[in-house]
Amino acid sequence: MRQYYSSIVAVVVGLSNSAMASSLTLTSDDISNGVHMSKLQEFNGFGCTGSDLSPNLKWTGAPKETQSFAITAYDPDAPTGSGWWHWQIVNIPATVTELATGAGGAQSKQIPPGSLQIQNDYGVAAFGGACPPVGHGVHRYQFTVHALSVEQLSVTEQSSGALVGYMINAHTIESSTIEALYQRDK
């Protein structure tokens, strides 16, 4: 009986260790959970005057079966009825584990080869910073890295945010999110 229990413990410990080993974690030098972003991540346009820089993002602990990554930045609090896509970048090679501050710019040369930026809700295939309506309160900005089970998603730069979101979710093995905040009072 003792050998039986020892085997059970070994299996449970083995499962715990393997689950812990593949825990995708997203971090950033520029943004943090529950903390207001700086003007660096504010949009430049629509009455906003920020630097419009995508934040530094880095991730660790991707599952072994990861074939590529996708990153999304989404504001669920935008008064649109469907939120606001600030950034979707897909087909990031599985060997990439960090994007530098500003990598998501329209003219950026820092996007990994083979990656594709999707047209955001501002109408640009790039990162578009926070720009909530004045007096609308605090908005949440969900920056998520997705470990995907496919090397390439079948989407184009002009694919809708909803379609790209669907394709990402259909192939996500694991994801990790930083939910940063932003507010404009004037």
Side-chain angles (χ1 to χ4, degrees):
M1 193 61 126
R2 175 177 262 188
Q3 185 178 7
Y4 172 76
Y5 286 117
S6 295
S7 297
I8 297 277
V9 169
V11 167
V12 169
V13 168
L15 289 174
S16 295
N17 288 341
S18 68
M20 289 171 64
S22 68
S23 183
L24 185 61
T25 303
L26 179 63
T27 60
S28 175
D29 295 336
D30 300 325
I31 61 172
S32 300
N33 275 313
V35 177
H36 285 260
M37 294 184 288
S38 76
K39 279 287 251 196
L40 293 175
Q41 279 74 52
E42 182 181 276
F43 189 64
N44 192 328
F46 287 58
C48 291
T49 59
S51 299
D52 204 20
L53 292 176
S54 60
N56 157 265
L57 297 172
K58 48 191 161 196
W59 52 96
T60 59
K64 290 178 187 168
E65 61 272 22
T66 301
Q67 297 295 306
S68 68
F69 294 101
I71 293 174
T72 59
Y74 178 72
D75 173 5
D77 303 313
T80 64
S82 60
W84 192 271
W85 290 106
H86 287 267
W87 195 22
Q88 292 177 309
I89 177 171
V90 300
N91 304 338
I92 300 169
T95 55
V96 174
T97 59
E98 183 172 5
L99 294 181
T101 302
Q107 305 303 317
S108 174
K109 304 291 187 224
Q110 298 177 4
I111 292 297
S115 302
L116 177 67
Q117 294 195 96
I118 308 301
Q119 195 171 66
N120 60 33
D121 284 340
Y122 293 116
V124 180
F127 172 79
C131 188
V134 172
H136 199 256
V138 176
H139 281 222
R140 297 167 293 152
Y141 294 85
Q142 299 164 342
F143 291 83
T144 304
V145 62
H146 303 263
L148 303 179
S149 61
V150 294
E151 218 172 287
Q152 297 235 319
L153 294 179
S154 296
V155 295
T156 68
E157 187 179 282
Q158 291 82 26
S159 294
S160 72
L163 174 63
V164 175
Y166 173 82
M167 296 296 287
I168 289 171
N169 289 330
H171 297 287
T172 293
I173 302 167
E174 193 173 344
S175 65
S176 182
T177 300
I178 295 173
E179 186 173 82
L181 308 174
Y182 205 74
Q183 178 175 358
R184 289 175 58 224
D185 292 325
K186 52 183 175 163

